[in-house]
Amino acid sequence: MKNSSFIFSAFAALAIISCAGSDNTVIKGRVAAEDSAAEIRVKAGDVDTLVTVTDGAFSIEIPADVTQVGYVKGPKGSYGFISDGSVLTFDFSAEEVVPVSSAKKECAAYFALQNSTKEFVQGYRAKLAELQADETLSQEERDSRFEEYYDAAYEAFVANSKDVIAKNSSNAVSLVALQNIYNEYDPEELLDVIAGLAPQLQAESFVQSLVKSSQANAATSEGKMFTDFEVETEEGKFEKLSDYVGKGKYMLVDFWASWCGPCKAEIPNLKQVYEQFHSDKFDILSVAVWDQPQASVDTAKAYSIPWNHMINAQKIPTDIYGIQGIPHIILFGPDGTILKRNLRGEDIAKAVAEYVK
């Protein structure tokens, strides 16, 4: 199944909004009678202010800036918007706060993206509930049908997000879409996408982190020689990746953390590979990143992991190898050449079997 980790937090709540053109953005609306004492917080760019509610209504004018996403926080939560010179009406007195319309393309694109994300997440949850309630299916059948549904739905979502990025390269809508799907690009492709964004968007810290990671990923792509790094242990000793990699063995290196559920889910797969292939030609190394050292040690013991570990690596290897998410499993050749990256599930054993005879 393709990436699903973002879906539980990818969309914000939406607001009733209507837009009409101006050089500045007018944010106004109403609250329910029981919320008449509430204050509305508006944050966008350099603006971060509280707006007083008078007779159930509020209003403020702020500068237009389509390169950032702002938000209005009211009695029913926080709602994002693009300050594009429109009049934005937030009706917090409504039973459900949803977007209505926009006279500017930035407004329309932003809320259309929010709606498509919301629909994707709702569809995900509905299909999962439907299959779980179907007692005529075995668990294997449920998993198979859900994976088939999810892959098709996610493929459509990614395609739509890529289209949104292409059509909104000069405004922040592209960054919202990019946050959802940046892992779906190859490093070189992602750098090309970023190069097509407006300079002000490229300067955003999130985008700069993607550039740095993509460059590191490209520099350590399959076919390249490994890049060494050194880690200081809790005992004040030092270990290098080159203590294990490039020593004449195929090395499967698992970058993981004790708090990472998917990382722990791969341990049985790694154990199976270890039991099948471990020899003087093949070994496994676990490298704990972004983790408390003792937690890494305790988890490795709890899972009875028999291979070697590097503890307390933190961001050192992930920065070098451009790793944005874990687990990230890399197969290195006997001379240290990177053979395969980002292996998961059944692909781990397949990749090892391809090289280790």
Side-chain angles (χ1 to χ4, degrees):
M1 185 183 297
K2 299 174 184 176
N3 178 31
S4 63
S5 61
F6 85 95
I7 67 171
F8 300 106
S9 60
F11 70 96
L14 306 177
I16 289 180
I17 294 179
S18 61
C19 307
S22 175
D23 290 338
N24 292 333
T25 297
V26 175
I27 297 173
K28 65 178 185 177
R30 298 196 62 80
V31 300
E34 62 268 23
D35 298 317
S36 59
E39 286 184 316
I40 307 297
R41 184 181 181 188
V42 176
K43 185 173 183 359
D46 294 331
V47 175
D48 187 354
T49 188
L50 295 176
V51 185
T52 302
V53 175
T54 305
D55 296 329
F58 63 91
S59 181
I60 186 175
E61 187 170 335
I62 65 172
D65 181 1
V66 299
T67 64
Q68 299 187 51
V69 176
Y71 71 83
V72 175
K73 184 177 182 180
K76 294 184 178 179
S78 296
Y79 306 93
F81 67 91
I82 300 288
S83 180
D84 67 345
S86 301
V87 176
L88 309 184
T89 303
F90 292 76
D91 188 357
F92 290 106
S93 67
E95 183 177 347
E96 182 182 5
V97 189
V98 294
V100 175
S101 64
S102 173
K104 290 281 187 175
K105 70 173 186 177
E106 292 87 0
C107 281
Y110 177 76
F111 287 109
L113 178 62
Q114 295 292 78
N115 280 329
S116 69
T117 306
K118 181 179 181 180
E119 290 169 2
F120 174 73
V121 174
Q122 289 176 336
Y124 173 98
R125 292 171 176 165
K127 190 65 174 181
L128 188 60
E130 173 194 324
L131 291 172
Q132 288 176 337
D134 190 342
E135 297 181 356
T136 67
L137 300 175
S138 67
Q139 188 58 50
E140 184 177 351
E141 289 172 325
R142 289 190 187 98
D143 292 343
S144 176
R145 292 190 186 187
F146 182 72
E147 183 169 352
E148 182 179 353
Y149 158 80
Y150 180 83
D151 286 349
Y154 186 64
E155 183 178 353
F157 179 79
V158 170
N160 178 66
S161 297
K162 288 184 176 182
D163 185 58
V164 169
I165 294 168
K167 292 178 178 178
N168 292 275
S169 60
S170 62
N171 65 72
V173 180
S174 59
L175 300 190
V176 178
L178 190 60
Q179 285 178 322
N180 287 343
I181 65 165
Y182 64 85
N183 277 326
E184 299 305 315
Y185 292 102
D186 293 332
E188 294 83 357
E189 186 182 10
L190 181 56
L191 289 172
D192 287 341
V193 170
I194 291 172
L197 299 177
Q200 190 169 347
L201 299 180
Q202 292 185 41
E204 289 290 322
S205 58
F206 161 67
V207 178
Q208 285 299 301
S209 71
L210 291 183
V211 170
K212 183 178 179 181
S213 176
S214 297
Q215 290 173 337
N217 197 303
T220 55
S221 59
E222 294 176 5
K224 302 287 181 65
M225 184 60 64
F226 83 105
T227 300
D228 203 8
F229 59 83
E230 185 176 66
V231 173
E232 184 176 5
T233 68
E234 289 290 281
E235 296 78 22
K237 299 179 181 179
F238 291 89
E239 284 186 294
K240 293 182 177 181
L241 182 64
S242 57
D243 293 336
Y244 305 94
V245 172
K247 297 293 186 181
K249 286 186 178 183
Y250 290 95
M251 289 295 303
L252 192 67
V253 180
D254 174 29
F255 298 92
W256 75 295
S258 65
W259 49 262
C260 169
C263 297
K264 289 183 281 192
E266 291 294 352
I267 292 175
N269 294 324
L270 292 170
K271 280 189 172 182
Q272 182 179 357
V273 170
Y274 185 80
E275 291 168 1
Q276 182 176 355
F277 294 102
H278 181 236
S279 65
D280 57 359
K281 295 182 179 179
F282 173 80
D283 209 342
I284 297 179
L285 171 70
S286 287
V287 180
V289 299
W290 311 337
D291 203 4
Q292 295 295 323
Q294 192 58 50
S296 302
V297 172
D298 292 344
T299 302
K301 287 181 179 178
Y303 280 81
S304 302
I305 296 175
W307 51 81
N308 288 317
H309 301 267
M310 291 180 70
I311 304 298
N312 199 32
Q314 304 306 346
K315 292 177 58 180
I316 295 171
T318 54
D319 284 350
I320 290 173
Y321 283 85
I323 296 171
Q324 300 241 0
I326 52 175
H328 193 99
I329 300 171
I330 301 177
L331 178 62
F332 295 90
D335 64 348
T337 299
I338 298 168
L339 302 177
K340 298 287 185 179
R341 283 194 60 149
N342 204 20
L343 294 167
R344 297 288 293 274
E346 297 177 354
D347 290 338
I348 302 172
K350 290 179 181 178
V352 174
E354 181 181 344
Y355 292 95
V356 183
K357 309 299 183 182

